[in-house]
Amino acid sequence: MLELAEPLHQPGRTAELQRRLELRLIDRDGRIRLLPAEGRRIGGFRATASWHPLAAIEGIERGWEVELSIVSHGARDGWGLQVVLPLDGKATRFMIPGLIYDEPPAAARRLRYPRVALDGVVADSLTSDRWAFRADRASHTVVFGWTGSSCIALATDERSALGASGLGFGAGDGSHLVLNFPAREEPVTYVGHDAPTLPEIQTHHWQAGE
């Protein structure tokens, strides 16, 4: 399941978000192939997306549940699926509950943990302008992104038909939110105790007709 929340009222916002939402196939090395979401067959895959408005929720101006259907017309190994939503400008903040929050003052940092470099300046191996985590590591399986004019969130279940789900984001000129199916942990995997380890990249072996 994917949900979107956007607090500022702007005419035509739904259609704009539908145009902005990207479906991508991604391999272990990060190579990307775009999938159109209107049922056309590209590279042996066919994708469709249907949007369903959600009932009003306090604090959220609009929300949608988006149903995605991906069909592989041949056997293919080593590909994952990404749902990517570009923000409407440079991100000013990201949040993944239980993992990523606002930065505390430097003097208050006693341990290193995953931090966001909105300006792209990376100080150590646990600082980056892009992060991806397994969804089951978050207290709630949702990723938020703020710009100067809006707040948008993507949410999903902990697991999908492709295995463990993932949450992520990227800062800078191409600021975006991302859901990974199956999960990816990058640029490093945070294992606690002030330490990173190698990225964890999961992909899927697609069967013909799956």
Side-chain angles (χ1 to χ4, degrees):
M1 183 182 76
L2 177 153
E3 292 180 358
L4 281 163
E6 202 282 320
L8 299 182
H9 179 69
Q10 299 176 28
R13 186 64 166 169
T14 304
E16 179 197 344
L17 287 170
Q18 289 176 335
R19 287 192 299 269
R20 279 164 46 191
L21 193 73
E22 297 178 2
L23 302 183
R24 302 174 176 178
L25 292 170
I26 184 168
D27 69 8
R28 298 181 192 278
D29 299 319
R31 289 186 292 262
I32 289 170
R33 179 185 299 172
L34 291 179
L35 287 176
E38 60 277 335
R40 288 192 291 122
R41 181 170 169 172
I42 297 290
F45 288 86
R46 187 186 304 274
T48 57
S50 55
W51 294 59
H52 310 284
L54 296 175
I57 303 172
E58 184 178 357
I60 297 177
E61 183 162 316
R62 282 186 299 281
W64 298 267
E65 181 177 67
V66 181
E67 243 179 271
L68 302 177
S69 175
I70 313 294
V71 178
S72 174
H73 293 278
R76 289 170 178 81
D77 194 15
W79 289 96
L81 174 70
Q82 286 189 326
V83 177
V84 178
L85 182 62
L87 302 183
D88 60 3
K90 281 190 176 183
T92 58
R93 180 190 172 198
F94 291 105
M95 182 175 73
I96 298 178
L99 284 169
I100 297 288
Y101 294 96
D102 274 344
E103 285 289 270
R109 300 174 189 162
R110 286 180 284 186
L111 287 176
R112 293 191 310 144
Y113 51 86
R115 292 193 291 269
V116 183
L118 292 173
D119 57 4
V121 178
V122 176
D124 56 48
S125 58
L126 282 174
T127 304
S128 178
D129 60 356
R130 63 181 182 91
W131 282 102
F133 302 94
R134 287 197 326 270
D136 62 4
R137 300 184 67 176
S139 61
H140 297 74
T141 54
V142 59
V143 54
F144 295 86
W146 284 261
T147 66
S149 61
S150 69
C151 169
I152 295 181
L154 295 182
T156 188
D157 293 329
E158 284 190 9
R159 298 189 64 83
S160 77
L162 301 185
S165 304
L167 306 166
F169 57 82
D173 291 332
S175 293
H176 63 275
L177 306 179
V178 62
L179 303 178
N180 283 305
F181 306 98
R184 301 169 71 96
E185 297 226 324
E186 51 188 355
V188 295
T189 299
Y190 178 60
V191 293
H193 309 292
D194 197 30
T197 188
L198 294 175
E200 180 186 327
I201 307 298
Q202 299 183 42
T203 57
H204 183 66
H205 178 69
W206 297 82
Q207 304 291 333
E210 181 181 4

